[in-house]
Amino acid sequence: MPWTNPHKRLPRRPGILLRMLADLDLKTLTLSLSLVTLMMTLLLGLAAWHAGAERGLRHWALGNLALMFGLMLNVNQDDLHHTLSILLANGLMTLGLGLVWLGIRAFFERSQPQLVPLLATLLIVILLGLFRYQFDSNAVRYAISSVILGGLCLLCASELLRPTEPPLRSACWFSGAIALLYGLMLLARPVASLLGWNGAASLLGGPLQLITLLGAMAAQIGMATGFILMTHYRNLAALHRLSERDGLTDTLNRRSLHQQAGALLARMQHGGEPVTLIMVDADHFKRINDDFGHQTGDAVLCHLVNRISQHLRTRDLLGRFGGEEFTLLLPGLDSEQARPVAERIRHGISQAPWRLAGETISLTASLGVACSQHHGYDFNTLLGAADAALYRAKTLGRNRVELAPPPGQTDQEQVALRLLSQFSHNLDV
Ligand SMILES: Nc1nc2c(ncn2[C@@H]2O[C@H](COP(=O)(O)OP(=O)(O)OP(=O)(O)O)[C@@H](O)[C@H]2O)c(=O)[nH]1
């Protein structure tokens, strides 16, 4: 038997994806989409229920609810009056997407232009009404809803696909990529229909409708989980921040100061760069508490931190060592360079009294400075040296900066200081 090329005889089989699409049943898909939307609405609603001050979740839950009712009405165009299945359905879907967009803006604490979703809803209802009851055109209605709903998806994507801190960024970009893809898909629908990709089928019964429903399902699951992930990551970041910051002054707490200082000192030692540690202690702070009350004392402490921070670079560390005592680590500075910085901080504190509602409280601080040149890169050794220098600044009259001397000189100085301290104590008595 002569050989024949089988490809010439057999008709070409469609690709596996097209075959799978052809096997899908529109009614089953519609029901699945409704169920998925319902589940995602419940999930977002549950998250919103316990959201507290969390921004965005309530908008997303409400938006999804509107989307769900809109979808349910829209897929029943054969059974329902067109005012419901076209006008109300698309109005609800537009409002739902608009609320999702407002939710994303609320999440990022951006302004809330509530008119945008309302105007978009009004626009789609008017245009669809016009092209249903005035000039009945299925194709134009299809294009109108595709452009408005697709445009809103792109607006959501543009809010999400912006630079943010990791790990929040991954969740935002995940949701943003889904919104972008689904928006582009909706915008491409009328073009694909014009190009005849729907074949002879009606717009609501052909492969384009199947693809739209599948896309909507994927977008529903992806965006709802993406939003919940965004909330989760932001809460994690807030918890992390709380665990490493002092609640009153927002400086590093003692534990994270130790951790971060250890890492910084190791880096500087490895790179052969100097580091300076400064201890700052408010002078006679007890008097401020006694005279003006603890609450005012708290405000003055925050003011002190604010004054110190104005002289710091982003890579410097500032931590609360305890009470009214703060520790600074200045990488890259030796004692020669650090002294003027310490003087500027001292001067800045003494020159800017705390003021509120006619009340003025003057404040000064004493500073002890120790540098890695003389005291090495061990955090506790540097702290000890800076603390001794601070003690000297207090003893010599406060509102001053003292450098920790190289280790060899310390003993003689300590004796002299003790004598001086005893002398001033005797004078006070
Ligand atoms: N308001 C307020 N006061 C605090 C806080 N932490 C510590 N203090 C107060 O700071 C004061 C520190 O007092 P002392 O250690 O005697 O020091 P001082 O009065 O500043 O005197 P010198 O340091 O010697 O100049 C105490 O009265 C503490 O109650 C705080 O978080 N808020």
Side-chain angles (χ1 to χ4, degrees), residues 52-235:
E54 190 59 62
R55 296 167 300 271
L57 276 169
R58 287 197 184 88
H59 287 87
W60 295 329
L62 268 178
N64 232 54
L65 195 69
L67 268 173
M68 185 184 79
F69 283 124
L71 273 170
M72 283 178 174
L73 291 174
N74 193 237
V75 292
N76 283 308
Q77 287 195 22
D78 293 341
D79 307 322
L80 290 174
H81 192 275
H82 279 183
T83 313
L84 294 178
S85 65
I86 296 179
L87 301 197
L88 184 63
N90 279 280
L92 280 172
M93 287 193 283
T94 307
L95 190 66
L97 274 179
L99 279 171
V100 169
W101 174 69
L102 278 183
I104 300 169
R105 289 187 65 90
F107 180 85
F108 291 111
E109 293 179 55
R110 295 175 192 149
S111 63
Q112 291 283 289
Q114 283 149 356
L115 264 185
V116 173
L118 290 178
L119 286 179
T121 307
L122 203 64
L123 183 72
I124 200 165
V125 170
I126 291 173
L127 287 178
L128 291 181
L130 202 66
F131 285 94
R132 170 64 188 88
Y133 298 114
Q134 197 70 23
F135 322 97
D136 189 12
S137 166
N138 224 347
V140 176
R141 286 203 305 271
Y142 195 64
I144 290 169
S145 62
S146 298
V147 167
I148 293 184
L149 295 173
L152 280 171
C153 284
L154 294 191
L155 268 186
C156 291
S158 77
E159 300 290 345
L160 290 161
L161 297 173
R162 294 190 193 181
T164 340
E165 292 291 303
L168 178 60
R169 184 171 52 201
S170 55
C172 291
W173 287 14
F174 173 73
S175 316
I178 290 172
L180 178 72
L181 285 176
Y182 191 58
L184 290 176
M185 199 185 109
L186 286 178
L187 288 179
R189 271 191 335 168
V191 183
S193 158
L194 275 180
L195 293 174
W197 287 13
N198 219 27
S202 77
L203 283 173
L204 294 177
L208 278 183
Q209 182 68 355
L210 285 172
I211 293 173
T212 308
L213 290 178
L214 279 175
M217 213 171 336
Q220 266 291 318
I221 298 172
M223 283 186 71
T225 41
F227 290 153
I228 286 177
L229 204 60
M230 277 161 61
T231 314
H232 171 68
Y233 278 151
R234 195 165 61 185
N235 287 340

Side-chain angles (χ1 to χ4, degrees), residues 281-286 289 294 297-298 320 323-324 394 398:
D281 189 290
D283 295 330
H284 297 306
F285 199 73
K286 188 172 176 324
N289 273 335
H294 222 79
D298 284 354
R320 188 172 182 187
E324 20 66 272
K394 291 276 183 188
R398 296 179 174 80

